[in-house]
Amino acid sequence: MISIPTHSLNDGTTLPALGLGTWPMDDAQAEQAVRGALELGYRLVDTATNYRNETGVGRGVAGSGVPREEIVVTTKLPGRHHGYEETLASFEESRARLGLDYVDLYLIHWPLPRVDKYVDSWKAMIKLREDGLVRSIGVSNFTAEHLERLEKETGILPCVNQIELHPFFPQEELRAFHTGKGILTESWSPLAPGTSLLEDPVVTGIADALGATPGQVVLRWHVQLGAVPIPKSADPRRQRANLEVFGFELDTAQMTAIADRAQRRRGGDPEVHEEF
Ligand SMILES: NC(=O)c1ccc[n+]([C@@H]2O[C@H](COP(=O)([O-])OP(=O)(O)OC[C@H]3O[C@@H](n4cnc5c(N)ncnc54)[C@H](OP(=O)(O)O)[C@@H]3O)[C@@H](O)[C@H]2O)c1
């Protein structure tokens, strides 16, 4: 079984350096993929209320035989449940679907600045952590401005910001801001699916030179940036390959060449994206 290094978070907990994404799996696919991934050595799993597969993820965790305390289960608050009481209620629904006593990492999925309730949700998440129902609290798709507002209004910064990050959208500024504040970056869409990234000659050239696959080269790039990629794969062979990125290194020139790409966001702009 492959063993994965961990990062220390700003709340004293730890997070595996790579995890499994589960969107867009349904419950049955998620159950199988999560169980198989945990058996391979994955210890971080990413879901969300809006993926509608928390039940399957919970079954995969329960059926894996891996001790609960070794697994970091992440889920996320949907936009329609922003607000203090709404967040507490939404969390209980997630926890029930997951079938867990506690959730390891709970994130606000999108900031929804127009709705302007993310600070209220954040206060509820602080309460959930105080009550021991959540180990760590974080956010997703927050800008530096949103993060600063949380700090100013509650004194508590997220331990994680899960953002779109890949070589076509390397987010240097936001990553530097995270580093300055002690926030760990998680990368969603780390392989930039739907783009030409994995056929890019720079990436395939480095892969050939290192005897790795293009996917491994890109995931290794994330790991060396200090970001935690959460590649989704339902295929056991790709799940295994995606985990085998801790036994080789990219040099500085290779790291620079991979990131030296046109900037292209795939997903929504957090300032305006609305997802409920
Ligand atoms: N916070 C947010 O707003 C947000 C937004 C989007 C995603 N996410 C999370 O981030 C996770 C990952 O993002 P994503 O699913 O968009 O993108 P991704 O993980 O970068 O790419 C997934 C796609 O790549 C394929 N794939 C996986 N490993 C591969 C490899 N080694 N070589 C070639 N193809 C490979 C997968 O197919 P197979 O399954 O067939 O292997 C799948 O089609 C999601 O599952 C979700 O948990 C969060």
Side-chain angles (χ1 to χ4, degrees):
M1 201 181 58
I2 300 160
S3 134
I4 309 165
T6 56
H7 291 277
S8 297
L9 299 181
N10 64 18
D11 61 4
T13 64
T14 59
L15 198 75
L18 186 147
L20 180 77
T22 65
W23 183 85
M25 298 176 189
D26 64 17
D27 276 323
Q29 291 166 331
E31 177 177 353
Q32 198 178 22
V34 167
R35 196 178 51 233
L38 290 170
E39 283 163 5
L40 283 173
Y42 283 79
R43 288 295 178 267
L44 169 64
V45 179
D46 184 80
T47 181
T49 300
N50 275 349
Y51 300 171
R52 297 165 181 247
N53 63 16
E54 287 169 309
T55 302
V57 168
R59 286 184 186 147
V61 167
S64 69
V66 174
R68 171 70 184 93
E69 63 275 13
E70 287 186 20
I71 306 172
V72 177
V73 178
T74 309
T75 193
K76 312 189 192 85
L77 174 77
R80 64 185 176 282
H81 296 155
H82 279 207
Y84 188 87
E85 293 299 336
E86 294 88 338
T87 298
L88 297 179
S90 187
F91 172 76
E92 272 312 311
E93 289 171 12
S94 283
R95 194 167 72 93
R97 281 190 295 268
L98 287 161
L100 298 175
D101 293 338
Y102 65 90
V103 168
D104 300 86
L105 178 60
Y106 195 36
L107 309 180
I108 300 178
H109 205 148
W110 287 89
L112 303 179
R114 188 185 59 85
V115 174
D116 197 23
K117 286 190 187 165
Y118 65 80
V119 178
D120 296 332
S121 289
W122 187 242
K123 288 177 181 165
M125 290 169 79
I126 294 169
K127 162 94 172 117
L128 289 169
R129 191 176 65 176
E130 283 167 2
D131 290 349
L133 293 167
V134 173
R135 291 281 153 91
S136 296
I137 52 177
V139 295
S140 179
N141 300 301
F142 274 44
T143 65
E145 189 192 324
H146 304 142
L147 293 165
E148 272 175 335
R149 184 157 166 224
L150 292 185
E151 184 176 32
K152 193 163 145 239
E153 296 203 24
T154 69
I156 296 184
L157 274 169
C159 59
V160 162
N161 188 15
Q162 184 184 114
I163 56 172
E164 178 177 352
L165 174 61
H166 45 75
F168 285 145
F169 196 56
Q171 301 249 41
E172 287 96 350
E173 258 183 56
L174 187 51
R175 282 192 292 108
F177 181 84
H178 288 169
T179 304
K181 292 285 188 185
I183 297 169
L184 188 72
T185 305
E186 274 192 334
S187 315
W188 64 255
S189 289
L191 300 169
T195 73
S196 58
L197 179 64
L198 300 183
E199 291 92 51
D200 184 294
V202 170
V203 173
T204 57
I206 294 172
D208 288 346
L210 294 173
T213 67
Q216 288 172 326
V217 166
V218 171
L219 294 171
R220 181 69 205 177
W221 175 83
H222 287 271
V223 166
Q224 285 185 221
L225 286 184
V228 172
I230 45 168
K232 173 263 172 187
S233 184
D235 177 309
R237 279 166 309 156
R238 278 197 290 277
Q239 282 187 355
R240 176 186 283 279
N242 290 348
L243 208 50
E244 288 175 339
V245 298
F246 299 101
F248 69 97
E249 254 183 70
L250 303 168
D251 63 26
T252 309
Q254 290 166 331
M255 285 294 289
T256 309
I258 291 168
D260 190 17
R261 303 264 152 284
Q263 302 265 324
R264 267 184 268 165
R265 192 191 275 284
R266 283 182 62 254
D269 175 350
E271 293 293 357
V272 290
H273 180 79
E274 299 209 334
E275 187 176 299
F276 293 94

